[in-house]
Amino acid sequence: MKHDILVLCTGNSCRSQLLQGYLQQALGNRATVYSAGIETHGLNPRAVRVMAEDGVDISHHTSNHVAEYAAVPFAYVLTVCDHAHEACPVLPSPAQKLHHNFPDPAKATGTDDEIMQQFRAVRDEVKAYAHNFAQAHFGAN
């Protein structure tokens, strides 16, 4: 049985996009992975860049509002920031809700290299979370 998974963040520009990319890679055809925000901020170009460095192409992703998926019967809703967790709308599905607050790399400051280092650190944390989730809930490596 194929499960629907929603990754939810504030603006659906960075953290949720990273997790969607890694979950799609880890789960393949065992799940359909969506990402959305309680707002939409557009896909962050640095998120695309940092994922490409790790061999994952998210350049085709879009920034979507959670209301677009109100009718999807999600098995899991994964919130990746405290703001989305607190403001998460009630979805009409029996989804198992899991929360992990990742730092927001979009708020990083400094030179481009310093900002990219913060994006890489968050990416690596998100990657580990994705693999742990896939293993725990799907038996995926």
Side-chain angles (χ1 to χ4, degrees), residues 121-132:
V122 173
R123 175 201 63 201
D124 294 347
E125 190 178 333
V126 168
K127 183 178 184 177
Y129 179 87
H131 287 287
N132 290 338

Side-chain angles (χ1 to χ4, degrees), residues 21-87:
Y22 281 124
L23 287 175
Q24 287 172 326
Q25 181 185 59
L27 299 174
N29 63 3
R30 289 177 280 186
T32 301
V33 184
Y34 303 81
S35 69
I38 55 174
E39 305 165 8
T40 55
H41 296 170
L43 184 58
N44 187 300
R46 285 189 173 107
V48 173
R49 200 163 112 199
V50 80
M51 290 296 280
E53 290 176 0
D54 198 33
V56 180
D57 180 12
I58 63 167
S59 63
H60 60 284
H61 286 194
T62 57
S63 184
N64 299 86
H65 192 273
V66 64
E68 295 175 46
Y69 304 124
V72 178
F74 292 108
Y76 299 94
V77 174
L78 311 177
T79 52
V80 295
C81 69
D82 287 342
H83 182 246
H85 179 64
E86 293 160 8

Side-chain angles (χ1 to χ4, degrees), residues 16 24 53 93 99 113:
S16 52
Q24 287 172 326
E53 290 176 0
S93 74
H99 175 66
D113 285 343

